[in-house]
Each structure stands twice: as C-alpha cells, then as structure tokens.
C-alpha cells in the first residue's frame, strides 16, 4: 500500500494576515509568506541566502482558524497544493493550504488538550495477530542478508553458513 502524500510548505508569515469574505459568503485567509533558503558550505556550515516569497491562502473554517492563530513573524508548516493563476496578464503562484500549524522545531507553544473531539481509541494503530511479524522488520532483515551476501561475494569471503559446509 502506498503512503498518501501531499505538498507541504514551511516558512514564516511575512505580512499581517488578512481575513476577507469571498463573493459566495465564505472566508478567505491571505498572507504573504517567506521561505528561508540556505547554502551548505564546504566546511559543513550554512550560509543564509535571500528568502523566497509567495502567497498563502486558505478558505472557509480553516481560514477562520488560521486568522485567529497566526500573525506576522510566525513560523508555520502548511499542507495543500500549489496553484498558478493569471492576474492582469501575469502568472502568479500561490499555495492553497488545507491545513496549517506552527512549526514546532522553531516555535515554543503549549497545546490545549481539554477539547478532544475524537476518542483516543479512534486514533490507535490496529493490533497485529499473535506471531505476526512487522513487515518493515522482515524486509529490513532480508535486505541485510542480501547485502551481507553481496559483500562476501565481492570480497571473495565465504559466508559463515557456507563455511561450516566447506569444512
């Protein structure tokens, strides 16, 4: 089974966010956001380059929540999709976010757990049957055995399990 993935954007809110009303009565969150760029130097250190900027928008209930929680300067991680649209003959790119949260690697905050909408049992991974092995562990063990065999063949060494037969 493939893991479902989505586009993500990480950056900082560069302008004061705006919450406006759309023509159909919904809400629209808009902010200009910056994406920091870094260059790795030969000595392993990093040099910060000029930031890239784009527009971030959200709609409806998510837009209302974002307007309550975010302000200029906040670091965020957003999930959504990139969109290019034409405006006055010019191509403009924007990121349409469906979810947004503070970047916990760069932001200190507290989480209010008093209002949990789902029970914790809805969010637990299913149990494995007795004796069932973790598929990832099985695949890893198979790959390690294959690599050991390749290494042994390349070096001319006889694998340990074959060495006993050869004696």
């Amino acid at each position: 089974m493939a893991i479902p993935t989505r586009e993500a954007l990480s950056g900082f809110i560069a302008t004061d966010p705006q919450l406006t009303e759309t023509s159909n009565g919904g809400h629209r969150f808009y902010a200009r956001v910056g994406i920091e760029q870094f260059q790795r130097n030969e000595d392993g250190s990093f040099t910060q380059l000029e930031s890239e900027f784009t527009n971030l928008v959200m709609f409806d209930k998510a837009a209302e929540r974002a307007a309550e929680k975010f302000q200029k300067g906040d670091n965020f991680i957003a999930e959504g999709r990139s969109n290019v649209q034409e405006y006055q003959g010019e191509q403009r790119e924007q990121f349409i976010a469906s979810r947004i949260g503070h970047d916990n690697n760069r932001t200190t905050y507290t989480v209010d757990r008093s209002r949990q909408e789902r029970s914790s049992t809805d969010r637990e991974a299913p149990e494995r049957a007795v004796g069932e092995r973790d598929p990832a562990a099985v695949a890893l063990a198979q790959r390690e055995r294959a690599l050991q065999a390749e290494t042994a063949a390349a070096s001319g060494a006889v694998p340990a399990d074959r060495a006993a037969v050869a004696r």
Side-chain angles (χ1 to χ4, degrees):
M1 177 174 104
I3 298 173
T5 59
R6 296 190 178 103
E7 288 181 59
L9 179 68
S10 173
F12 61 93
I13 307 287
T15 62
D16 288 324
Q18 301 169 12
L19 183 65
T20 58
E21 194 170 303
T22 63
S23 58
N24 66 359
H27 289 96
R28 177 181 179 264
F29 173 89
Y30 166 84
R32 189 91 173 128
V33 298
I35 301 101
E36 293 177 320
Q37 304 291 314
F38 293 89
Q39 177 179 329
R40 185 182 181 111
N41 302 318
E42 289 182 19
D43 66 358
S45 65
F46 292 89
T47 301
Q48 187 168 4
L49 304 174
E50 202 170 304
S51 294
E52 299 281 331
F53 292 89
T54 191
N55 298 323
L56 181 133
V57 295
M58 298 183 79
F59 296 97
D60 301 322
K61 200 69 168 163
E64 293 177 52
R65 283 190 218 106
E68 290 173 6
K69 303 290 183 190
F70 287 90
Q71 63 185 11
K72 183 177 178 178
D74 286 351
N75 293 302
F76 70 89
I77 298 176
E79 176 185 293
R81 63 185 174 86
S82 297
N83 183 43
V84 178
Q85 63 185 129
E86 191 167 322
Y87 178 75
Q88 297 179 347
E90 185 181 323
Q91 296 285 341
R92 292 194 176 176
E93 186 175 21
Q94 65 181 359
F95 190 81
I96 302 172
S98 55
R99 297 171 182 234
I100 190 170
H102 288 92
D103 183 347
N104 67 348
N105 287 330
R106 305 184 77 185
T107 306
T108 302
Y109 60 92
T110 57
V111 177
D112 178 8
R113 298 193 188 281
S114 63
R115 193 190 98 187
Q116 291 187 347
E117 296 177 10
R118 300 181 193 170
S119 71
S120 60
T121 57
D122 292 343
R123 301 187 63 93
E124 291 179 10
E127 293 291 325
R128 287 197 186 99
V130 175
E132 181 182 2
R133 293 190 58 202
D134 179 6
V138 171
L140 180 61
Q142 290 172 344
R143 181 66 183 141
E144 286 176 346
R145 283 193 298 276
L147 286 173
Q148 287 172 351
E150 288 174 16
T151 304
S155 67
V158 178
D161 59 338
R162 295 178 128 189
V165 175
R167 287 190 205 143

